[in-house]
Amino acid sequence: NAGVTQTPKFQVLKTGQSMTLQCAQDMNHEYMSWYRQDPGMGLRLIHYSVGAGITDQGEVPNGYNVSRSTTEDFPLRLLSAAPSQTSVYFCASRAVAGANVLTFGAGSRLTVL
Amino acid sequence: AQRVTQPEKLLSVFKGAPVELKCNYSYSGSPELFWYVQYSRQRLQLLLRHISRESIKGFTADLNKGETSFHLKKPFAQEEDSAMYYCALSAFHASGGSYIPTFGRGTSLIVHP
């Protein structure tokens, strides 16, 4: 049981480049979400999804796109990376019913030069 | 909108000393509160939730609705408690049709030998 898997673990981009952070879970969780973690700012919600085909914006959605074509996958896209997007990104999931507890991925550290 | 405040960025104590990590929240409804912990080089994971009313690794947290607080306490800190601690509040969002957690900025606990 892998839980929540994020790839890549590390990535360096140049300003203006695009990339996708991958997130997959094998727990059949309906709810999936992306957070960014910055020093002194804690965890801020970027986007979330309550099921396949449904996505919604969180606190800091600008500059990021998401889609949810399957229950298992929730990729986060940066269309034109900016230095302000240098951060550690966490994917988290949970079942919609039952305990309201998030399961986190290991994180993806992104640096934009 | 809900808000979670962790007033201390850093808490430094000696082994065996009592520890209290503060968390205050604002929310008009009935809150569901959590403490998550991130040990060095590990994933964020649930430490405890107020509904469970349990003690995990010697830590307890009591929901005080009058003071809108959910402070995390441990009578005798251990070196292995050194980590980043996040308080989180889960609230129902009608627009998204799901419970959405909001995290505080985190408190880094350092326990010296």
Side-chain angles (χ1 to χ4, degrees), chain B:
Chain B
Q2 67 268 25
R3 175 176 285 186
V4 177
T5 303
Q6 292 179 251
E8 303 132 334
K9 280 187 183 177
L10 173 67
L11 190 60
S12 182
V13 302
F14 285 99
K15 178 182 172 181
V19 169
E20 183 179 51
L21 288 81
K22 291 184 168 52
C23 173
N24 289 91
Y25 67 91
S26 64
Y27 180 55
S28 56
S30 185
E32 187 171 2
L33 286 150
F34 307 80
W35 278 98
Y36 285 83
V37 61
Q38 186 177 28
Y39 300 104
S40 180
R41 301 180 188 280
Q42 293 188 28
R43 303 176 183 220
L44 272 149
Q45 59 186 285
L46 176 72
L47 181 61
L48 52 80
R49 48 197 294 239
H50 89 273
I51 287 179
S52 303
R53 291 182 158 270
E54 57 194 344
S55 173
I56 304 292
K57 299 185 179 184
F59 284 97
T60 59
D62 290 318
L63 177 60
N64 186 322
K65 290 187 178 181
E67 296 183 358
T68 59
S69 68
F70 188 55
H71 302 329
L72 183 68
K73 299 177 184 178
K74 185 169 182 176
F76 307 104
Q78 302 299 315
E79 290 177 69
E80 55 265 30
D81 296 329
S82 295
M84 179 69 80
Y85 291 81
Y86 290 97
C87 182
L89 182 155
S90 192
F92 186 76
H93 281 230
S95 61
S98 183
Y99 284 88
I100 309 297
T102 297
F103 286 80
R105 296 189 173 191
T107 298
S108 177
L109 174 65
I110 299 174
V111 182
H112 300 282

